[in-house]
Amino acid sequence: DGLFLDRPVTVNSTMTMTSGNINTTSTNIMTFVATTAITASATSYIKGPFARVIPANQVAGLTLNYPVGKDTLKPMFLVNPITNADGLTVISAEVFEGNSGGTPGTGMLSLNTNRYFNASIVSGDTNLVSTQVRLTEVNLTTTSGIGRSQTVSGAYNLVSSALPSGGTITTDALTSLSY
């Protein structure tokens, strides 16, 4: 359903999704250059990987939304991405419906088995100083946390020390990204 990209696409300005999904692949990815918010909805989001460009010398105060999902919209946000002066940083994110196959690592008692995310630096990996990742999920409790692993089926270590608030949870500052 929706639009299927048959080549990589770059969007340079505002993006408002109103009807249908945009289906992407790792080869035919959509990259959003502007730091403005993207409007999406429960019936119109990106199915597959989606990349955003973070400018050089970015300081705190920016939140970048990734309107991604597979069966439903499950947005991911980069909060306060900070970059150095050496150039642009491109970060891709994708959500997967299903079990990662990973195991609980340090600070984690169990893992969510119906969904996991992957965020990766496509280019400019030495330019990223830090960022936080915010996820939205129903039924978060005071024992909920975000785990991170270098591989999809690896051990997921706790990377969020703050309690969930209003259906969202945010990691501590991260200097690299992964599952």
Side-chain angles (χ1 to χ4, degrees):
D1 73 318
L3 172 69
F4 288 81
L5 297 185
D6 65 355
R7 66 180 130 294
V9 173
T10 300
V11 177
N12 292 308
S13 63
T14 304
M15 188 164 92
T16 301
M17 301 173 64
T18 58
S19 179
N21 297 318
I22 299 174
N23 296 271
T24 65
T25 66
S26 58
T27 303
N28 300 323
I29 191 168
M30 177 179 281
T31 301
F32 191 70
V33 177
T35 57
T36 56
I38 301 164
T39 303
S41 71
T43 59
S44 188
Y45 51 88
I46 296 170
K47 284 185 161 185
F50 177 65
R52 294 203 65 168
V53 177
I54 304 169
N57 287 319
Q58 178 60 49
V59 296
L62 179 67
T63 298
L64 298 175
N65 64 324
Y66 287 75
V68 295
K70 292 288 192 224
D71 298 332
T72 60
L73 174 65
K74 285 297 175 185
M76 187 197 93
F77 300 83
L78 291 183
V79 179
N80 294 320
I82 299 171
T83 58
N84 63 31
D86 294 338
L88 303 173
T89 303
V90 180
I91 296 178
S92 173
E94 185 172 8
V95 62
F96 298 90
E97 300 292 341
N99 190 343
S100 70
T103 57
T106 304
M108 300 293 290
L109 297 175
S110 63
L111 299 180
N112 184 335
T113 58
N114 67 332
R115 182 178 308 104
Y116 64 96
F117 289 81
N118 180 31
S120 61
I121 300 174
V122 176
S123 63
D125 60 329
T126 59
N127 303 334
L128 181 69
V129 175
S130 67
T131 189
Q132 294 172 280
V133 173
R134 184 174 70 211
L135 303 175
T136 302
E137 189 64 62
V138 295
N139 301 321
L140 292 172
T141 68
T142 57
T143 61
S144 297
I146 298 176
R148 176 177 159 210
S149 175
Q150 293 304 312
T151 61
V152 67
S153 59
Y156 284 75
N157 298 318
L158 183 67
V159 292
S160 58
S161 56
L163 293 176
S165 174
T168 66
I169 187 167
T170 305
T171 67
D172 301 332
L174 304 171
T175 57
S176 64
L177 298 167
S178 58
Y179 292 95

